[in-house]
Amino acid sequence: MNSFVQNVILGRWPLCRLLFLLVACNPGQYNNIPVPIQKDSLKEVKIINAALDSIHSNETIVMQGDIIMRTGRDFTSETMRNLCTNDKTYSHCGIASFENDSLFVYHAIGGEWNPDQKLRRDPFDFFCNPFENRGFGIFRYKLTPGENQRLIGLVHKFYGQGIMFDMRFDLASDDRMYCTEFVYKLIEGASKNKISLSTTTLNHVRFVAPDNLFINPDCTEIKRVIFNR
């Protein structure tokens, strides 16, 4: 079994045991709760492994500075998707960076996923993992080598500063950033505003929606992956 799958399943096992005890102690009250069987579990593991294989195979086409989009499964992600006006596929994003032969994604995220609220650096397979996501996308801007180097430099600078997540979603401030704002400011900063990204306005509030980042003449879609779940 894939070690990543095994760790997550083991991490969730106490909840499964609690459900089993509730059913065993109150068979009449909980007789409508579906009890997982081995066949279902094996099918789920097979689906997860296929998704992880897809992540690993597409990791080879990622380049330094690519934008990695993903489609989360939770309510917050669905809300972010609905803020998009042209393409509602994605809910979250980050910037790819190769370090010591490993691929990481830097991203701004808040809530229960990130208690300290600071910029995160996660391995690519963790960022795209199929337990919390329906799929992911790889996008690439037309940056010169110098601009790409500046982009990664800004990524590391912001990360080193411990930029906090912006719960107010205030595009005007730079000391705190939300996910799409982080990528938006990196692209414009790296290109010295040569590349201009659009924003979305809703009820007189201007913000960066996920589709503002990749629907752009200077951006190329490299790959879209949808997990079969």
Side-chain angles (χ1 to χ4, degrees):
M1 182 185 296
N2 185 288
S3 60
F4 184 82
V5 177
Q6 192 173 30
N7 289 336
V8 176
I9 290 176
L10 289 175
R12 295 179 176 180
W13 178 238
L15 179 61
C16 295
R17 284 190 294 179
L18 177 60
L19 178 61
F20 175 78
L21 289 174
L22 288 172
V23 174
C25 295
N26 301 276
Q29 183 177 357
Y30 298 98
N31 59 7
N32 290 324
I33 297 177
V35 178
I37 60 175
Q38 185 178 13
K39 184 182 294 185
D40 293 333
S41 299
L42 291 175
K43 180 180 179 181
E44 179 71 6
V45 169
K46 184 178 180 180
I47 292 172
I48 291 295
N49 277 328
L52 290 173
D53 286 344
S54 178
I55 292 171
H56 295 149
S57 64
N58 283 288
E59 183 175 353
T60 60
I61 66 176
V62 177
M63 294 182 65
Q64 188 86 323
D66 281 354
I67 297 177
I68 310 299
M69 308 293 300
R70 75 183 186 193
T71 306
R73 294 176 172 274
D74 58 282
F75 174 77
T76 302
S77 297
E78 292 299 315
T79 301
M80 289 300 296
R81 288 174 60 197
N82 286 327
L83 292 176
C84 298
T85 55
N86 295 293
D87 187 328
K88 297 181 183 293
T89 303
Y90 302 109
S91 58
H92 189 59
C93 58
I95 293 290
S97 176
F98 286 93
E99 300 166 17
N100 299 322
D101 297 324
S102 295
L103 177 57
F104 295 95
V105 180
Y106 287 82
H107 59 119
I109 191 169
E112 61 180 327
W113 303 277
N114 190 25
D116 69 7
Q117 305 291 300
K118 294 182 180 180
L119 284 177
R120 286 182 61 98
R121 183 189 75 157
D122 288 321
F124 177 76
D125 58 352
F126 182 85
F127 181 85
C128 300
N129 83 83
F131 295 101
E132 280 82 30
N133 298 287
R134 301 180 188 279
F136 66 94
I138 304 168
F139 296 86
R140 188 171 301 152
Y141 267 86
K142 298 175 183 177
L143 299 174
T144 67
E147 290 169 340
N148 205 299
Q149 185 176 8
R150 190 180 302 123
L151 171 69
I152 298 302
L154 287 172
V155 168
H156 293 162
K157 175 185 175 181
F158 291 150
Y159 182 74
Q161 291 174 341
I163 295 293
M164 304 286 286
F165 185 78
D166 187 359
M167 296 297 294
R168 298 180 62 186
F169 286 73
D170 182 6
L171 190 56
S173 64
D174 291 331
D175 59 329
R176 290 175 176 266
M177 299 182 190
Y178 53 94
C179 61
T180 49
E181 177 189 4
F182 173 61
V183 174
Y184 171 92
K185 290 183 174 177
L186 286 172
I187 297 297
E188 291 203 335
S191 67
K192 294 186 176 180
N193 295 316
K194 180 187 72 177
I195 295 176
S196 178
L197 283 75
S198 62
T199 57
T200 297
T201 300
L202 181 64
N203 294 330
H204 307 292
V205 177
R206 178 172 169 262
F207 61 93
V208 183
D211 60 344
N212 290 138
L213 296 177
F214 59 86
I215 298 180
N216 188 292
D218 291 308
C219 184
T220 301
E221 179 179 318
I222 305 301
K223 187 76 174 185
R224 289 193 186 214
V225 175
I226 299 174
F227 301 139
N228 185 26
R229 292 189 70 194

